[in-house]
Amino acid sequence: MFLFLTCLALARVTNAQRVFAHFMDSLSDTLRLYAQNSYSYAESDWTNDMTTAQNIGIDGFALNIVANDYEVDRIVDAYLAAEALGFKLFYSFDMSYTWQQSDMVNIVANHSSSPSTFLWNNTILVSTYSGESYGEDFWASFKSALQSQGIDIILAPAFTTYRDPSDAASLVSTFPSIDGFFNWWSWPADVDANLTTATDLAYQAAVSSLSGPYIMSVSPWQFKNLDGAGDWVEYSDTLWNYRWQQAVNDVKPDIVEIVTWNDYGESHYIGDINPNVYLGTQAPLYVDGFTHAAWRDVAQYYISWFKTGSAPTITKDEVVFWYRAWPKAVNCSTGSLPRNAAYPEDAVFALAMLKDTATITLAIGSNTVTFTAGAGVTMGSVPFLSEDSQVPYIAISRDDTKVADTHGSMYVNQSGCTYYNFNPFVGSTAE
C-alpha cells in the first residue's frame, strides 16, 4: 500500500499543477435553442481564444459539449488550432442533456491520438458536467467501450449533486469507475456569505487515493436572467480574489478549472465577448458592453502563484476594478428580479496589485475612499450613494505622485433601468 501511494504521489508531482478554462461549445438551457457559442467559429476564432488564454498561463480548454451535432465539427477546428499552438484540450460532457454512450465513445476516440489531447498520468482525461443520474453501470461501460478500442481514460466527473461534504465518503463507493473528481461549485449556495473550502477539502480527500486528479473550480461571478432558463445571482462581490486565494493557499488542487472562458449567459466569462457569437434576445441586454477582460490580469497573477507555489513578484502597478451599473434596489421595466438580489453590495470593488506600497483612491459621486496597500494584492471598495449617473474614479498614488488613474466606462444610474442586470463591468488602470 505504501508503494502504491508513493507511486500516486510521484505521478501527481510529474503531472504538476495545470490550469484549464471551461469553454462552452454551446450555451446551455433554453438559450441553446437560439444561441450556440461555437456555431459561428472558424479556426481563427479558436486560435484567438487559445492565444489569449495561453498568454496568461492557461494550459488548455475543457470543452463543454452537449450533443453529437455541429459541435463535433467545430472541435475539428479547435484541435487544428490547438495543435499549432501546443494548447491542450479535454472533453467535459454536459450530461444534463441526453447522451448515447456510443456517441461519447466516438467523440473521445476521434482525437485520442492528437498531441493536444490532455493526458493525466499519460492517460486521456475525460470530465463531465453532471452525469450521476446515468448510474455506475453507464460509466463503467463507457470506460470499457473505450478500452475495447485500446483507449484508456481517466474519468474525473463533476457530479453536481455531490456538494455536501458529508456525501463525499459515499462518492467512490457509489461510483467505483471514477478516477478523480471535478468540484463544479465555485459560488456560495444561495447564502449571503463567502464560499468556504469545506466541499473542496472533503472531495479532494475522497479521491486522494485514486489515480486521477482533484479539479477545483474557480469563478469570478454568477448571474443569469433568461426566461425559462433561470434568474439568479450569487454573492460574488470579491469571489475572484478569495477563491484564488483558497486555491493557492488552502486546497492546492491538482488542476484549477476556471469557470468559465465564455459562458455569457451566466456572466462568468473571462474571455473577450466574441461579436460573431449570437446570444439571442435577452443575454445581450446584460452582456453587451460589460467586458471582463481585466479579470484575466488577476488570473495571470494567481496562475503563476498556483504553478510555482509562491506569489510572483509584481513589476507593474495595477488596479483591477468591477462594479454593477445599477443598484440592487432599482426597479427595471423588463426581465426578472433575480433570486438573491439582496445579497450583492452596491459598491465599486478594486483589487490593487502593486510592486510597492501605494495609496489607492476609489471615488463615485461624492463618496471617496482611500486606503494604503502594500506590495502584493489588496482588496478595497467604495459604496454607491444615491446620486444618479455617476462614474467611478480609480487612482494609484505613491509619494504624493499619481502613478495611474482612470474612470469606469459605465455610469451607475439610479433610474431608467430597462432590464435587470447584475453583471459587472470590469476595468483596470496601470502604470
Side-chain angles (χ1 to χ4, degrees):
M1 176 61 73
F2 174 75
L3 178 61
F4 174 69
L5 292 176
T6 300
C7 290
L8 283 176
L10 289 174
R12 292 180 188 280
V13 170
T14 301
N15 281 299
Q17 277 72 25
R18 296 295 193 111
V19 177
F20 283 78
H22 199 81
F23 186 100
M24 303 295 290
D25 278 338
S26 175
L27 289 185
S28 60
D29 298 317
T30 302
L31 191 57
R32 177 171 160 75
L33 297 176
Y34 47 84
Q36 296 87 19
N37 273 13
S38 67
Y39 183 80
S40 59
Y41 262 47
E43 184 180 340
S44 58
D45 292 291
W46 289 106
T47 298
N48 181 64
D49 280 345
M50 292 173 182
T51 301
T52 302
Q54 264 187 332
N55 287 343
I56 63 169
I58 292 174
D59 298 293
F61 286 154
L63 297 174
N64 180 289
I65 180 170
V66 307
N68 183 30
D69 57 8
Y70 74 88
E71 296 173 67
V72 176
D73 293 333
R74 298 303 178 274
I75 287 170
V76 172
D77 288 335
Y79 265 94
L80 289 172
E83 289 168 1
L85 295 170
F87 198 69
K88 299 297 183 180
L89 301 171
F90 68 85
Y91 291 112
S92 181
F93 288 98
D94 191 335
M95 305 304 294
S96 64
Y97 291 85
T98 301
W99 276 97
Q100 296 298 315
Q101 187 181 100
S102 58
D103 289 337
M104 296 172 62
V105 169
N106 290 337
I107 287 169
V108 172
N110 284 344
H111 302 282
S112 60
S113 61
S114 169
S116 281
T117 292
F118 178 66
L119 305 181
W120 177 266
N121 198 22
N122 296 315
T123 306
I124 294 171
L125 178 65
V126 175
S127 188
T128 72
Y129 171 80
S130 191
E132 59 270 44
S133 64
Y134 283 71
E136 164 61 16
D137 289 347
F138 178 92
W139 294 110
S141 176
F142 172 61
K143 293 178 73 174
S144 295
L146 284 164
Q147 286 173 338
S148 71
Q149 298 187 31
I151 301 169
D152 291 323
I153 66 166
I154 292 287
L155 179 62
F159 289 164
T160 53
T161 58
Y162 284 87
R163 184 172 192 172
D164 189 328
S166 66
D167 292 332
S170 67
L171 172 68
V172 176
S173 60
T174 305
F175 295 96
S177 63
I178 70 170
D179 306 293
F181 188 70
F182 171 31
N183 174 27
W184 173 259
W185 299 111
S186 50
W187 315 271
D190 293 338
V191 294
D192 187 9
N194 285 351
L195 181 69
T196 74
T197 59
T199 297
D200 291 297
L201 297 176
Y203 288 90
Q204 183 181 45
V207 300
S208 61
S209 63
L210 303 182
S211 59
Y214 177 73
I215 306 173
M216 175 182 178
S217 58
V218 174
S219 187
W221 204 263
Q222 176 64 265
F223 164 68
K224 190 173 190 176
N225 197 347
L226 297 173
D227 289 345
D231 309 298
W232 66 74
V233 63
E234 296 294 357
Y235 182 60
S236 308
D237 292 348
T238 60
L239 178 64
W240 192 226
N241 182 52
Y242 80 75
R243 186 64 174 159
W244 273 113
Q245 291 275 349
Q246 292 173 345
V248 299
N249 289 321
D250 303 328
V251 181
K252 300 179 181 178
D254 299 307
I255 295 172
V256 164
E257 188 166 329
I258 297 170
V259 177
T260 60
W261 184 257
N262 63 336
D263 192 336
Y264 307 115
E266 293 193 356
S267 306
H268 41 59
Y269 51 94
I270 69 164
D272 295 327
I273 301 169
N274 189 322
N276 295 324
V277 175
Y278 175 62
L279 296 181
T281 58
Q282 291 181 315
L285 300 176
Y286 61 89
V287 171
D288 287 354
F290 288 83
T291 60
H292 292 178
W295 268 338
R296 294 199 296 269
D297 295 346
V298 179
Q300 183 173 22
Y301 173 81
Y302 279 115
I303 289 170
S304 175
W305 188 342
F306 175 65
K307 289 184 175 183
T308 64
S310 58
T313 300
I314 295 173
T315 59
K316 180 183 72 173
D317 293 316
E318 181 177 12
V319 173
V320 177
F321 59 93
W322 54 94
Y323 62 96
R324 306 185 325 275
W326 306 95
K328 59 189 176 185
V330 71
N331 290 317
C332 302
S333 58
T334 61
S336 301
L337 181 68
R339 185 177 80 240
N340 307 325
Y343 293 165
E345 296 178 37
D346 287 338
V348 180
F349 300 91
L351 182 64
M353 301 190 295
L354 303 178
K355 61 187 181 184
D356 202 354
T357 300
T359 298
I360 307 301
T361 300
L362 307 176
I364 182 166
S366 59
N367 205 11
T368 299
V369 170
T370 61
F371 62 94
T372 300
V377 296
T378 306
M379 280 294 312
S381 64
V382 58
F384 299 166
L385 293 180
S386 59
E387 300 155 307
D388 198 15
S389 299
Q390 299 297 317
V391 65
Y393 172 75
I394 299 91
I396 308 169
S397 301
R398 182 178 293 114
D399 300 327
D400 297 322
T401 301
K402 189 177 297 179
V403 175
D405 70 333
T406 194
H407 288 88
S409 296
M410 288 276 179
Y411 280 85
V412 177
N413 293 295
Q414 302 287 334
S415 61
C417 177
T418 58
Y419 197 86
Y420 283 101
N421 184 0
F422 284 66
N423 184 22
F425 170 83
V426 184
S428 67
T429 184
E431 63 176 333

